[in-house]
Amino acid sequence: MNLVSLNLTSPKPIHIMDFANFTAQLNAGTILPEGIVIFTLVAVLIVDLILGRTSSRWIGYLAIAGLLAATVALGFQWDSTNPISFSGEFNSDDLSIVFRGIIALSSVVTILMSIRYVEQSGTALAEFIAILLTATLGGMFVSGASELVMIFIALETLSISSYLLTGYTKRDPRSNEAALKYLLIGASSTAVFLYGVSLLYGLSGGQTELGAIAKGISAANVGQSLGLVIALVFSIAGVGFKISAAPFHQWTPDVYEGAPTPVIAFLSVGSKAAGFALAIRLLTTVFPVVADEWRFVFTALAILSMILGNVVALAQTSMKRMLAYSSIAQAGFVMIGLIAGTDAGYSSMIFYLLVYLFMNLCGFTCVVLFSLRTGTDQIAEYSGLYQKDPLLTLGLSLSLLSLGGIPPLAGFFGKIYLFWAGWQAGLYGLVLLGLITSVVSIYYYIRVVKMMVVKEPQEMSDVVKNYPVVRWDLPGFRPLQVGLVVTLIATSIAGILSNPLFTLANNSVTNTAILQATKVANTPVVVVTTKQGE
């Protein structure tokens, strides 16, 4: 029996796939930076597998070289004419390039401060770097993902790697407790976020690409439906967890206190940057019809974050917990730019995150150095440190003053740009609250500086009295010195020479199609009529 008949004499050849069209849709060159990170990750694992512990002296430099190469590759993609790849799943526009660069650079500084810290904890360095590179990869993909499945997979890559890093020093019970809390709260927030995006999938008629979802929601005329509002709130809950905004901040103080210090340094910058990148892309693309609603929700989050973060930080005795509440407050400041929703607002967000990268990691580098030399992170133990370690005192003082917004440091100009963008957008109450809480934050930052610098010799803490002789030639300390000096210089001059950074931030917004399309869509149309004959 002839079950299948084939027309072998057909004059037209049967094309299984138009390879040229497939390659054009794939446009895989856009993820070259991520490809370099993947190659670096594999190289780290192979080198460690072959050479074992003997590779630990230079394996960190291999990872740093790969991350710097990825950053250079990002620079070559600037202002690309065809940023869309993988059939709309990934968007390598200038906005994503800046955020991916922030995440990669935060990983570079994190590795510099990790080498000695991880070795002293008795755990393997190669595995730590491999997990950190995986988290970096997840954060970079989150920054450019424009499709729901890819967003979720990238977000989980970042989250699961973060859980593993938090509990990496498994001999420390505080690290285990922090990892468990982070995992439980993180899993809950992921479930909430996933339910929110599943509602978007249903409301849009089965679309997963962000632009198609917006069109599907508009075509179905469900712009003001209860389902869309629930999807918005649940999506914001997932983003709020990533940026550690109140009231989604519960994990932050405990994780910051218990996790390895280099890990929280990465979470405070890399994970936060990925969260804000996702917030901008998701809110401006999918939720323009409920823009007033999401701005109202983020206004509430910003108010809570600025008040709670700065007020509770006043009572902290641990440096890491103080920096945790400081991180919550900083998220509140950055949200002012997001709520403004203007070019100036988005530019000020990006500029602030760029300078926050340097000043926050400079502070964490100093905390790592102090804990390595003394074994403690209590604020009271920093008393009189200037007389034993002037460089560490200078680095920590300038980073804290910059976080507080003291001129002429980078943090001052970052806050000025944020507050000015908010004021131009009519957010007068939010800006005034930001100014007031900034003054509050200066108190607890200057308290630490005063304790290190002003204390008399007889008021020196016992820990500082027994402070070891400062030596940079010990194994693993040279990378810490490099990280401290580089971030210290950047924190000091980024404010005075802020124009190139702000130009970069401004160009990344004006060159990004989704932000300009949103601005055009939200611009009111004024119809002018005239009398006949005029």
Side-chain angles (χ1 to χ4, degrees), residues 13-29:
I14 300 172
H15 292 285
I16 299 175
M17 183 178 295
D18 188 343
F19 187 73
N21 185 43
F22 172 74
T23 306
Q25 287 187 355
L26 199 62
N27 195 17

Side-chain angles (χ1 to χ4, degrees), residues 393-410:
T393 305
L394 177 66
L396 188 56
S397 299
L398 288 182
S399 64
L400 292 178
L401 293 174
S402 184
L403 285 167
I406 302 294
L409 299 171

Side-chain angles (χ1 to χ4, degrees), residues 365-383:
T365 304
C366 295
V367 173
V368 168
L369 266 170
F370 187 78
S371 64
L372 285 173
R373 287 171 174 161
T374 63
T376 181
D377 71 328
Q378 294 299 303
I379 294 174
E381 303 297 350
Y382 283 77
S383 180

Side-chain angles (χ1 to χ4, degrees), residues 309-393:
N310 286 307
V311 171
V312 179
L314 293 170
Q316 299 308 309
T317 58
S318 164
M319 180 68 78
K320 289 164 75 172
R321 284 186 77 90
M322 188 196 80
L323 289 172
Y325 284 104
S326 164
S327 174
I328 296 167
Q330 301 293 337
F333 294 136
V334 178
M335 277 188 272
I336 293 176
L338 181 65
I339 298 162
T342 59
D343 280 1
Y346 296 128
S347 299
S348 61
M349 277 181 72
I350 294 168
F351 176 82
Y352 195 80
L353 287 170
L354 280 167
V355 297
Y356 184 68
L357 160 72
F358 301 120
M359 59 191 182
N360 205 46
L361 292 182
C362 179
F364 274 111
T365 304
C366 295
V367 173
V368 168
L369 266 170
F370 187 78
S371 64
L372 285 173
R373 287 171 174 161
T374 63
T376 181
D377 71 328
Q378 294 299 303
I379 294 174
E381 303 297 350
Y382 283 77
S383 180
L385 181 62
Y386 173 73
Q387 300 172 53
K388 292 293 185 77
D389 198 338
L391 178 61
L392 196 154
T393 305

Side-chain angles (χ1 to χ4, degrees), residues 95 99 236 239-240 243 245 272 275-285 291 294-299 301-302 331-350 352-353 417-419 421-422 425 427 430 515 518 522:
L95 183 74
F99 278 105
I236 290 176
V239 171
I243 62 176
K272 197 183 292 290
F276 277 114
L278 175 60
I280 293 173
R281 198 169 297 277
L282 197 62
L283 295 172
T284 56
T285 307
W294 69 252
R295 287 197 175 96
F296 174 78
V297 174
F298 268 101
T299 300
L301 296 185
F333 294 136
V334 178
M335 277 188 272
I336 293 176
L338 181 65
I339 298 162
T342 59
D343 280 1
Y346 296 128
S347 299
S348 61
M349 277 181 72
I350 294 168
Y352 195 80
L353 287 170
Y417 287 142
L418 275 172
F419 293 156
L427 307 174
L430 209 55
L515 297 182
T518 305
N522 291 334

Side-chain angles (χ1 to χ4, degrees), residues 483-499:
L484 174 57
V485 171
V486 169
T487 52
L488 177 58
I489 293 172
T491 303
S492 303
I493 68 171
I496 303 167
L497 304 176
S498 59
N499 197 50

Side-chain angles (χ1 to χ4, degrees), residues 510-530:
T510 54
N511 296 342
T512 298
I514 59 167
L515 297 182
Q516 299 310 308
T518 305
K519 187 174 69 173
V520 171
N522 291 334
T523 302
V525 178
V526 180
V527 179
V528 180
T529 59
T530 59

Side-chain angles (χ1 to χ4, degrees), residues 261-282:
T261 311
V263 173
I264 58 176
F266 173 76
L267 294 179
S268 70
V269 177
S271 183
K272 197 183 292 290
F276 277 114
L278 175 60
I280 293 173
R281 198 169 297 277
L282 197 62

